[in-house]
Amino acid sequence: MKVKINGQEEQLPENMTIAEMVHHKGLTPEAVVIEHNENICPREHWSETTLSADDMIEIVSFVGGG
Amino acid sequence: MEDILQIGDKRLTNRLFVGTGKFPDKAVIKDVLEQSGAEVVTVALRRVDQDSQDENILNYIPESCVLMPNTSGARNADEAVRIARLAQASGCGNWIKIEVISDNKYLLPDNSETLKATGILAKEGFVVMPYMSPDLYYAKKMVDAGAASIMPLGAPIGSNRGIKTRELVRILINEIEVPVVVDAGLGKPSEAAECMEMGCDAVLVNTAIATAKNPVLMAQAFSEAVKAGRMAFLAGTPTVQSEANASSPLTGFLRDDK
C-alpha cells in the first residue's frame, strides 16, 4: 500500500503496524517519535496501530541544535 | 551557601547552557558537556533521514543533563506547539525552548507567535523557555502566560557579536521576576561574563563553542567566565565614574607640600 513518510511516497506491506514499520526501517524505537495522520502515536501504542493506504507518517528524532 | 538557579523543578548549579548544533563531530559534544559541567543542553527535532542512519545524539548527552529541545523550524505558534508536543513524546522531559523564526536573514524571533505558543504550552505543563527579542512588554506577557524564564537574544544567532542588546536586557533584568537567560550571539567568554556581571541568570552558547578550534577548551573557558561574572555580580560591582578616585592615601607623602 502507498503511504507518505516524511513527505515521500513509499510502498509498505498491507496491514503493517507502526511497530513493524519502525523495525522494518531498522530504526531504534527509543530514538524516534512518530506522528500518524497528524496525531502523535505514543510508543506504547505502536504495535496496536495498523497503517492504511494514504496514511501520512512523520518519523522524527533529536539532532544537534542550538 | 550554594548559588542555585531554580527553573521548573530543576536546581542548577552551572549557569552555562550549551547548544549542540554545528559540531563537526558529535562525539565532541560529550566531552564539551562533561568538561564544562553544563547542565542544560539544547537539541533540535527533525525528520529522520532514512538514507543515512545517524547515531542518536542522545548517546552523547550525559543522563544527568536537562534536555531542552528547541522548536527551531517553526515559523508560527502552531508549528512550535506541534514540535514541542513531538519532543515531549520522546519521553525526555518537559522543557521546551520556543524558537519561532520566519526571518531568514537575521533569524530574529517572532515575539508575537512566541507569546502565543508560550500560553498554549505552559497550560499543557511544559517548562517554557521562550527565545525572544528583548522587549519589556512581550517579556511581561510571556511571564504572565506562564514562561519559566525569558531568553532574550544578545545578537543574531551565530553572529558572535556579543551582547549588542545590553541596554534592553538590563531593563528586563530589572523588571522581570523570572530568570533571564541571554541566548544567541555571544562569541567570547568575556561576553558571557559581561552578561552575568549585569545580572543575567544564565547564558546559552552554541556557535562560539562548536566552531572553536578546541571546543572542549572553549566550553571550559565559557564555564569559568560565567562563574566569574556571576561571582562579580554577587560581590557587587562598583559604580562607574568619569573622574579619578585615588586608590592610595592622599596624605603622608615623602615631600613637604605647601
Side-chain angles (χ1 to χ4, degrees):
Chain A
M1 65 179 167
K2 186 181 59 142
V3 296
K4 219 175 202 180
I5 299 180
N6 287 356
Q8 309 269 52
E9 274 181 12
E10 278 189 42
Q11 283 292 338
L12 289 182
E14 298 287 332
N15 299 321
M16 194 175 225
T17 65
I18 289 182
E20 286 164 347
M21 177 200 65
V22 170
H23 179 77
H24 169 73
K25 289 182 171 297
L27 298 168
T28 311
E30 294 71 38
V32 300
V33 177
I34 306 276
E35 199 191 63
H36 176 218
N37 293 332
E38 301 181 336
N39 289 314
I40 296 173
C41 185
R43 218 164 275 136
E44 55 266 26
H45 294 156
W46 286 358
S47 21
E48 63 218 36
T49 309
T50 311
L51 299 171
S52 312
D54 297 322
D55 271 358
M56 295 199 324
I57 298 140
E58 295 284 346
I59 309 176
V60 298
S61 68
F62 289 133
V63 299
Chain B
M1 202 171 109
E2 242 193 324
D3 176 37
I4 304 275
L5 171 60
Q6 174 110 27
I7 296 182
D9 67 340
K10 300 291 181 193
R11 293 165 55 79
L12 307 168
T13 54
N14 190 305
R15 294 167 180 265
L16 173 66
F17 298 179
V18 172
T20 56
K22 296 179 180 167
F23 279 88
D25 173 10
K26 281 209 281 282
V28 176
I29 294 173
K30 187 159 186 283
D31 287 335
V32 159
L33 295 175
E34 283 173 354
Q35 297 302 318
S36 67
E39 294 164 6
V40 178
V41 185
T42 63
V43 290
L45 193 81
R46 291 290 183 275
R47 282 173 165 172
V48 163
D49 181 354
Q50 298 171 80
D51 298 322
S52 82
Q53 286 289 357
D54 241 353
E55 232 218 295
N56 186 357
I57 194 161
L58 297 182
N59 292 342
Y60 299 104
I61 299 175
E63 291 246 346
S64 53
C65 286
V66 177
L67 203 68
M68 181 165 70
N70 67 33
T71 66
S72 69
R75 297 160 298 181
N76 57 50
D78 286 340
E79 290 180 355
V81 168
R82 179 187 180 204
I83 294 171
R85 289 172 179 159
L86 283 164
Q88 189 184 48
S90 70
C92 298
N94 63 352
W95 278 45
I96 191 76
K97 167 178 160 175
I98 301 183
E99 186 178 321
V100 181
I101 294 170
S102 49
D103 144 50
N104 289 324
K105 194 166 167 189
Y106 305 102
L107 299 181
L108 292 176
D110 182 329
N111 280 352
S112 171
E113 293 298 305
T114 298
L115 172 61
K116 272 193 217 143
T118 296
I120 296 168
L121 294 172
K123 284 199 190 74
E124 292 179 16
F126 284 84
V127 173
V128 179
M129 314 277 285
Y131 172 58
M132 52 97 66
S133 219
D135 173 283
L136 183 59
Y137 291 102
Y138 271 110
K140 284 185 172 170
K141 287 178 189 176
M142 286 170 190
V143 172
D144 289 343
S149 76
I150 52 157
M151 306 217 291
L153 64 107
I157 294 170
S159 68
N160 297 322
R161 295 172 77 81
I163 179 161
K164 290 297 187 189
T165 56
R166 54 176 60 74
E167 295 304 329
L168 294 176
V169 170
R170 211 186 305 272
I171 291 172
L172 298 180
I173 291 168
N174 289 344
E175 302 300 321
I176 297 294
E177 263 131 48
V178 299
V180 175
V181 181
V182 166
D183 176 8
L186 301 181
K188 298 201 273 278
S190 54
E191 291 160 358
E194 185 190 346
C195 291
M196 300 308 295
E197 284 163 10
M198 272 169 51
C200 289
D201 295 277
V203 298
L204 199 160
V205 179
N206 188 166
T207 300
I209 291 173
T211 60
K213 282 204 199 72
N214 184 334
V216 176
L217 192 58
M218 185 57 84
Q220 289 173 301
F222 267 99
S223 187
E224 295 300 313
V226 165
K227 287 193 189 111
R230 178 65 181 170
M231 281 166 65
F233 172 74
L234 293 174
T237 49
T239 51
V240 173
Q241 329 233 22
S242 52
E243 291 183 1
N245 196 314
S247 302
S248 306
L250 295 170
T251 54
F253 294 120
L254 275 72
R255 60 174 185 260
D256 295 320
D257 275 338
K258 268 271 148 280

